[in-house]
Amino acid sequence: MDWTKKELERIQARGLFRSLKAIEQKSGTRIEICGKRLVNFCGNDYLGLAGDPRVKKAGAGAVKKWGTSASASRLVSGNFSIHLELENLLAKFKGAETGLVFPSGYQANLGVIPALVGKGDLILSDEWNHSSLIDASRLSSATVKIFPHSDLSALKKMLAGAKPSQKKLILVESIYSMDGDLAPLPEIVELAEKFSATVYLDEAHSTGVLGKKGKGALEHFQISGKNLILMGTLSKALASQGGFVCVSKAMRDFLVNRARSFIFSTGLNPSAVASALKALEIIESEPERVAKLRGNIHFARQELEKIGVALGVDPTPIIPVILGDPDQTVSASKKLLVRGIFVQAIRPPSVPRSQSRLRISLSAGHTRKEISLLAKSLAEII
Ligand SMILES: *Cc1c(COP(=O)(O)O)cnc(C)c1O
């Protein structure tokens, strides 16, 4: 397989070679790589629940009760009562009729979007959408039109240009994963209603994060929408693994029959289900965690502003420090490692060319001292 070597050389020459780093220990925001202790500023454990003793106990308890695997797809013999419990709690949290969980967020997008639209239908997709949304769009065989990031007039033009008979699906994220900015959701929902389109909202980074109670973008903007499908992941603030959509009962029945990534994959692992259930219960009973995250975001923005980092307008846990050149970004990440800070360098294809960046993500689990160390270390190296 000589061609793989050649391709790897090409990737290396462009400064885009990626490799896996082994984390040897992890406790909250503290990790160890190559024996070196670091503060992790590139995880998605937004509420600091992935190491919470109650969540761990729930996960371990489910292994004791149900075993280590669902051992079959949900439609065969892998559908446990806790799956349904989780789906009901997620729906209640998000204010929907019911929910459906998938083995991952990626699989949720890959299963649901091609079930909703197909040949002859139209997908309108924000240019900054996550790869799972892009792949799902390709898999659907629908016509895909990409609008410039959060450009409402471009979106409106595309909607106006569609055939009235065409099914139209607008794909957006509540918080964009690489830049941390919010979608202009109220306006998008209004446009969707006007043109009889459906909005598919990926809430991977906003669940547990946006809104006073962490319910997501609808709570943040204080809006509701009929033609709206909410998707999220259990793997970020919900401290587990798996993906979900919140939908009507009829839509759930439809997806159980049509979403191929649901039908042909083993049911979500029982320990992941129980961990997510417990994390969700904690988020509902301890809204102060969401407030703590918000406090950390404001503190970090103040500290970073002082050292001259250009900040986006939306105060979210994702803060990109754009350096541009991939090699320079990798070298900055290495310099942070020496100072006890772990922030990965994000390069193409995750972000556009000349937009390589250090992508900081904050958690309620970070202390002010850790955030100050981040700012001090950044000031030394950029
Ligand atoms: C992380 C992420 C996903 C995928 O979720 P997983 O559960 O990790 O597969 C989907 N969409 C967005 C925007 C994400 O950031």
Side-chain angles (χ1 to χ4, degrees), residues 214-248:
K215 289 172 188 276
L218 297 188
E219 190 196 3
H220 172 85
F221 287 112
Q222 295 288 311
I223 56 168
S224 61
K226 276 194 299 293
N227 282 352
L228 194 64
I229 291 179
L230 299 178
M231 173 270 168
T233 173
L234 307 175
S235 62
K236 288 164 184 156
L238 292 176
S240 180
Q241 183 118 35
F244 66 88
V245 282
C246 288
V247 288
S248 67

Side-chain angles (χ1 to χ4, degrees), residues 15-201:
L16 300 180
F17 182 73
R18 308 183 193 206
S19 62
L20 295 165
K21 281 197 181 66
I23 294 181
E24 292 134 12
Q25 285 203 55
K26 181 173 183 284
S27 169
T29 57
R30 300 300 176 111
I31 56 170
E32 211 176 287
I33 298 175
C34 294
K36 183 155 175 59
R37 298 185 55 182
L38 304 160
V39 188
N40 186 10
F41 276 101
C42 51
N44 300 313
D45 182 17
Y46 292 123
L47 297 175
L49 286 170
D52 187 283
R54 295 164 293 179
V55 179
K56 286 203 229 178
K57 193 171 160 214
V63 171
K64 272 205 185 117
K65 180 164 178 192
W66 299 96
T68 49
S69 171
S71 302
S73 78
R74 298 271 300 275
L75 279 165
V76 179
S77 64
N79 187 42
F80 302 166
S81 53
I82 50 171
H83 287 113
L84 307 178
E85 218 182 297
L86 176 60
E87 286 168 348
N88 288 333
L89 198 61
L90 281 166
K92 197 175 131 236
F93 184 66
K94 290 282 189 183
E97 202 172 67
T98 184
L100 188 66
V101 301
F102 289 73
S104 74
Y106 192 104
Q107 269 177 268
N109 284 339
L110 226 57
V112 177
I113 292 166
L116 294 176
V117 287
K119 212 167 164 26
D121 298 330
L122 182 62
I123 287 178
L124 301 172
S125 181
D126 188 287
E127 69 172 326
W128 286 7
N129 273 340
H130 189 262
S131 294
S132 56
L133 294 166
I134 297 170
D135 296 350
S137 302
R138 289 176 182 156
L139 197 60
S140 75
S141 323
T143 303
V144 182
K145 288 196 173 161
I146 295 164
F147 57 91
H149 179 57
S150 291
D151 185 335
L152 292 166
S153 61
L155 175 61
K156 188 175 176 184
K157 255 190 216 140
M158 287 179 180
L159 283 165
K163 293 187 212 98
S165 61
Q166 246 180 337
K167 247 199 259 169
K168 295 171 276 289
L169 189 65
I170 302 169
L171 305 184
V172 286
E173 295 177 33
S174 344
I175 296 182
Y176 283 89
S177 58
M178 291 298 137
D179 289 70
D181 59 325
L182 300 182
L185 195 62
E187 291 82 0
I188 291 172
V189 168
E190 204 181 304
L191 277 178
E193 270 165 23
K194 187 167 169 206
F195 290 97
S196 307
T198 301
V199 178
Y200 185 92
L201 183 63

